[in-house]
């Protein structure tokens, strides 16, 4: 069985202490156990890539299309860096209306990415991870952020619904852990699911959550990828 993962740093695995590729490594075990077959994962994650850059790689790197063509499962992570560009421009004044400018371009890129994937592989299911707000417990003044990202994810989910065998994977839970972590020495509250070097990427626990969410969707749609 072959799985091709394409995307940004969440596919590359930034924050994974084992440096094995985060969810792309973790998802192999349940897939192998269920399918009773070896699983090969191709990881085409590049840290910092926007949806436009991911689209460009898909268009210009023949190896990606070649592996997509032979895959039973395709997974995408994208959008987080598009939002980061919006944050850099507007900061805490970012509103849903302002983010919509970036979102429209992202939507166009995602639709084109899905079109190219379908040309290469008409039947393999595609799983698109949503995005999350890593700053939810740190930047309280960014009031519009929660609403803006909710709308962003709703758009992504709608695009998934509108396309054949494309599924949305919600990971907004990364921004709202059941228990926060408090350090008395540093007198600060942190998100136990995020990488402490940047408070942006998932840590090992965060990647386990991402894997669980993906596996849940894979189980619900296994008729599409199990022979």
């Amino acid at each position: 069985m072959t799985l091709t993962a394409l995307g940004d740093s969440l596919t590359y695995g930034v924050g994974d202490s084992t440096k094995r590729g985060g969810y792309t490594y973790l998802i192999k075990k349940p897939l192998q156990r269920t399918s009773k077959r070896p699983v090969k994962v191709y990881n085409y994650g590049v840290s910092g890539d926007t949806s436009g850059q991911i689209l460009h790689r898909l268009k210009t790197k023949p190896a990606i299309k070649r592996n997509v063509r032979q895959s039973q499962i395709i997974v995408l992570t994208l959008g987080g860096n598009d939002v980061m560009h919006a944050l850099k421009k507007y900061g805490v004044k970012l509103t849903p209306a302002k983010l919509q400018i970036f979102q429209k371009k992202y939507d166009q890129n995602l639709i084109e990415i899905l079109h190219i994937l379908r040309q290469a592989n008409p039947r393999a299911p595609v799983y698109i991870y949503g995005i999350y707000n890593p700053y939810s417990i740190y930047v309280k003044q960014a009031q519009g952020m929660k609403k803006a990202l909710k709308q962003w994810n709703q758009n992504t989910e709608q695009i998934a619904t509108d396309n054949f065998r494309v599924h949305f994977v919600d990971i907004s839970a990364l921004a709202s852990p059941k228990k926060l972590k408090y350090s008395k020495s540093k007198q600060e509250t942190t998100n136990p699911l995020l990488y402490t070097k940047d408070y942006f990427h998932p840590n090992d626990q965060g990647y386990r959550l991402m894997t669980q969410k993906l596996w849940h969707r894979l189980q619900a749609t296994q008729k599409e990828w199990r022979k």
Side-chain angles (χ1 to χ4, degrees), residues 63-164:
I64 301 178
K65 284 186 189 177
R66 186 164 59 246
N67 290 323
V68 162
R69 196 170 292 117
Q70 66 186 32
S71 294
Q72 284 75 50
I73 297 168
I74 303 162
V75 185
L76 297 173
T77 63
L78 71 172
N81 290 306
D82 297 67
V83 174
M84 283 301 296
H85 281 249
L87 271 170
K88 285 178 181 178
K89 184 171 182 177
Y90 294 110
V92 296
K93 294 181 179 179
L94 181 66
T95 63
K98 290 174 180 175
L99 186 60
Q100 202 170 46
I101 300 167
F102 291 80
Q103 187 174 334
K104 284 182 179 179
K105 185 60 181 173
Y106 159 84
D107 289 349
Q108 291 170 0
N109 291 335
L110 176 56
I111 289 167
E112 191 169 354
I113 286 168
L114 292 174
H115 178 69
I116 294 170
L117 292 176
R118 273 290 161 258
Q119 283 183 320
N121 190 325
R123 298 196 62 79
V126 180
Y127 300 85
I128 309 172
Y129 274 110
I131 60 175
Y132 60 97
N133 179 9
Y135 306 114
S136 60
I137 69 169
Y138 308 111
V139 189
K140 298 292 185 183
Q141 63 267 42
Q143 295 298 323
M145 193 66 173
K146 185 176 180 180
K147 185 178 178 182
L149 291 190
K150 184 179 180 181
Q151 181 62 52
W152 186 288
N153 280 328
Q154 285 174 344
N155 271 39
T156 300
E157 188 169 11
Q158 187 59 55
I159 290 170
T161 302
D162 291 342
N163 283 271
F164 176 67

Side-chain angles (χ1 to χ4, degrees), residues 7-218:
D8 49 30
S9 54
L10 295 188
T11 290
Y12 179 80
V14 173
D16 174 8
S17 67
T18 69
K19 300 189 185 301
R20 291 185 292 193
Y23 82 85
T24 65
Y25 171 77
L26 295 172
I27 198 63
K28 288 174 70 173
K29 189 173 182 180
L31 278 173
Q32 286 172 341
R33 184 177 62 244
T34 301
S35 67
K36 296 180 173 55
R37 289 191 282 167
V39 175
K40 172 68 177 176
V41 174
Y42 291 99
N43 186 325
Y44 290 105
V46 175
S47 186
D49 261 15
T50 62
S51 59
Q53 289 168 314
I54 293 166
L55 172 60
H56 178 72
R57 281 196 290 126
L58 183 57
K59 285 179 172 179
T60 58
K61 304 290 184 183
I64 301 178
K65 284 186 189 177
R66 186 164 59 246
N67 290 323
V68 162
R69 196 170 292 117
Q70 66 186 32
S71 294
Q72 284 75 50
I73 297 168
I74 303 162
V75 185
L76 297 173
T77 63
L78 71 172
N81 290 306
D82 297 67
V83 174
M84 283 301 296
H85 281 249
L87 271 170
K88 285 178 181 178
K89 184 171 182 177
Y90 294 110
V92 296
K93 294 181 179 179
L94 181 66
T95 63
K98 290 174 180 175
L99 186 60
Q100 202 170 46
I101 300 167
F102 291 80
Q103 187 174 334
K104 284 182 179 179
K105 185 60 181 173
Y106 159 84
D107 289 349
Q108 291 170 0
N109 291 335
L110 176 56
I111 289 167
E112 191 169 354
I113 286 168
L114 292 174
H115 178 69
I116 294 170
L117 292 176
R118 273 290 161 258
Q119 283 183 320
N121 190 325
R123 298 196 62 79
V126 180
Y127 300 85
I128 309 172
Y129 274 110
I131 60 175
Y132 60 97
N133 179 9
Y135 306 114
S136 60
I137 69 169
Y138 308 111
V139 189
K140 298 292 185 183
Q141 63 267 42
Q143 295 298 323
M145 193 66 173
K146 185 176 180 180
K147 185 178 178 182
L149 291 190
K150 184 179 180 181
Q151 181 62 52
W152 186 288
N153 280 328
Q154 285 174 344
N155 271 39
T156 300
E157 188 169 11
Q158 187 59 55
I159 290 170
T161 302
D162 291 342
N163 283 271
F164 176 67
R165 290 190 174 183
V166 181
H167 310 285
F168 178 75
V169 182
D170 184 2
I171 53 169
S172 55
L174 279 171
S176 53
K178 292 179 180 178
K179 288 185 179 181
L180 298 176
K181 190 175 181 180
Y182 180 73
S183 170
K184 286 186 178 180
S185 59
K186 295 181 180 179
Q187 292 190 331
E188 65 178 12
T189 301
T190 57
N191 183 335
L193 301 175
L194 299 184
Y195 186 41
T196 53
K197 287 189 177 180
D198 60 18
Y199 297 115
F200 181 81
H201 295 94
N203 57 19
D204 294 352
Q205 190 177 344
Y207 279 115
R208 283 195 292 271
L209 185 145
M210 282 185 70
T211 306
Q212 289 167 5
K213 297 291 186 182
L214 176 59
W215 180 236
H216 178 75
R217 296 297 290 139
L218 284 164

